[in-house]
Amino acid sequence: MDKVLVIGACGQLGSELSHGLGEVFGQENIIAADIADPVPAIEGFIYERLDVMDAKSLADIVDKHDITQIYHLAAILSAKGEENPKWAWNLNMTGLLNVLELAKEKKLKKIYWPSSIAVFGPGTPVDNTPQHTIMDPNTVYGISKLAGERWCEYYFEKYGVDVRSIRYPGLIGYKSLPGGGTTDYAVDIYHKALAGGHFECFLSEDTQLPMMYMPDAIKATIDLMESPAENVKVRSSYNVAAISFSPKEIVASIQKNIPEFTTSYVPDFRQPIADSWPNSIDDSVARADWGWKEAYDLDEMTSDILQHLPELLPSFQ
Ligand code: AKB
């Protein structure tokens, strides 16, 4: 029986992925770990406080629970990373290397580690960005994700660590709030629309970015991790796409449901970060290797969020 450690379980992705993994392995076999206090979204899971920079504590938790798989999600995202680059680099790299080293030593069955579209940069082709292309990230987050991809492939090739990864686009969910990302506006906007307020967007109206609804992200992650090892041919990280849209387009989608919703655009330091990333992603390799296919388009995502977020709004107060 697999025992799965989710590091960063209190975060936007971690809280929802813990539930997805609970459906596959049984909730009692998921250990939710985070440096933060447990959040309501992971109530019912076994919780361990963990600073992933502390290799000894990580090893102790793995031994204590007989962990066989680790999903290592803890990271500092793009916008937050620019505030303190050395801290972001240290956390993003040390955390990953602690997990990879432990996986090698203890011969863990599988490791999941998320990469991001932030591995691309100003020199990368912006439309339908291919799996293999120019990668010249200019944020510390992107640099750490690109270096992390190289380390994942290295540990797979040199030591046989079965590590798998996806380059996530911006992830949009209504169950929890993201923190410190450049794509976060696409989550905040639904909160403002439902509160009847005006939304001031920190990106310009035409800034197109690759995005994905959280149920698709959970499905992609679990599909990749449950694929037979021989189908996982990319051991750096897979391009995975779903929807690409600009602020103007998400506003139009919301206005189909809430016509009175208004927005203004005041680009800030996150604009150049967004401008350095692709408009859209070619994910044909993931589709061919392990059968990736998204379920939600922009309007389907908007309807789903506007239907379900009101029930949860009190928990965000
Ligand atoms: C961010 O905006 O930093 C993240 C990402 C695209 O990886 N959501």
Side-chain angles (χ1 to χ4, degrees):
M1 175 50 81
D2 274 289
K3 287 270 189 175
V4 181
L5 178 64
V6 180
I7 303 172
C10 294
Q12 185 207 14
L13 173 64
S15 52
E16 295 207 38
L17 189 55
S18 296
H19 286 273
L21 292 168
E23 280 168 27
V24 179
F25 299 105
Q27 187 165 340
E28 67 285 6
N29 294 311
I30 310 301
I31 315 304
D34 207 295
I35 196 167
D37 288 339
V39 291
I42 58 153
E43 214 176 275
F45 287 88
I46 301 164
Y47 165 81
E48 291 278 1
R49 190 177 298 277
L50 173 66
D51 176 356
V52 71
M53 308 271 279
D54 177 353
K56 164 92 173 58
S57 299
L58 172 64
D60 289 347
I61 289 172
V62 165
D63 288 343
K64 177 176 164 191
H65 296 281
D66 293 321
I67 297 295
T68 58
Q69 300 193 29
I70 299 179
Y71 285 66
H72 170 42
L73 313 176
I76 305 299
L77 300 187
S78 57
K80 189 129 192 79
E82 294 309 289
E83 287 167 15
N84 193 340
K86 278 194 185 158
W87 169 69
W89 169 260
N90 195 20
L91 192 143
N92 290 359
M93 296 318 302
T94 307
L96 174 62
L97 287 170
N98 283 348
V99 170
L100 289 173
E101 201 48 31
L102 193 71
K104 177 183 110 182
E105 273 168 29
K106 297 198 181 288
K107 302 197 177 349
L108 298 185
K109 204 164 132 189
K110 274 184 243 177
I111 302 295
Y112 180 77
W113 173 80
S115 185
S116 160
I117 55 161
V119 293
F120 300 118
T124 304
V126 289
D127 293 315
N128 282 325
T129 303
Q131 175 71 44
H132 300 288
T133 186
I134 297 167
M135 298 165 91
D136 55 354
N138 58 9
T139 62
V140 68
Y141 173 64
I143 296 168
S144 72
K145 287 295 179 188
L146 179 54
E149 287 191 7
R150 303 317 308 148
W151 276 117
C152 287
E153 194 175 288
Y154 186 91
Y155 270 75
F156 172 73
E157 282 178 358
K158 305 277 179 203
Y159 308 123
V161 173
D162 186 351
V163 51
R164 307 177 183 197
S165 176
I166 284 173
R167 291 173 183 153
Y168 289 125
L171 299 184
I172 303 167
Y174 64 88
K175 295 185 181 165
S176 58
L177 290 171
T182 302
T183 58
D184 294 1
Y185 87 87
V187 177
D188 296 341
I189 197 168
Y190 289 103
H191 288 254
K192 287 285 182 323
L194 282 167
H198 173 84
F199 182 66
E200 188 176 280
C201 186
F202 58 72
L203 297 182
S204 67
E205 62 176 4
D206 290 320
T207 309
Q208 210 194 357
L209 286 169
M211 301 277 191
M212 182 179 283
Y213 191 31
M214 193 60 88
D216 274 337
I218 304 303
K219 182 179 177 310
T221 308
I222 294 177
D223 282 359
L224 170 65
M225 287 298 279
E226 291 302 298
S227 289
E230 62 273 18
N231 292 358
V232 183
K233 295 177 188 132
V234 174
R235 292 297 181 155
S236 51
S237 191
Y238 275 100
N239 275 10
V240 166
I243 18 179
S244 277
F245 58 79
S246 63
K248 197 169 67 183
E249 288 165 325
I250 193 173
V251 169
S253 176
I254 293 172
Q255 283 172 336
K256 286 181 194 162
N257 302 270
I258 308 176
E260 62 280 12
F261 179 52
T262 59
T263 325
S264 53
Y265 300 92
V266 184
D268 68 10
F269 72 99
R270 290 165 278 198
Q271 185 66 48
I273 300 179
D275 289 342
S276 75
W277 291 350
N279 295 338
S280 58
I281 298 286
D282 174 355
D283 61 359
S284 49
V285 178
R287 288 174 196 262
D289 284 3
W290 45 276
W292 161 243
K293 184 162 174 27
E294 78 287 358
Y296 288 86
D297 66 19
L298 175 56
D299 284 340
E300 287 163 339
M301 175 179 80
T302 296
S303 305
D304 204 51
I305 295 177
L306 293 179
Q307 188 189 335
H308 293 108
L309 179 55
E311 298 148 28
L312 296 183
L313 274 180
S315 65
F316 291 104
Q317 301 308 316

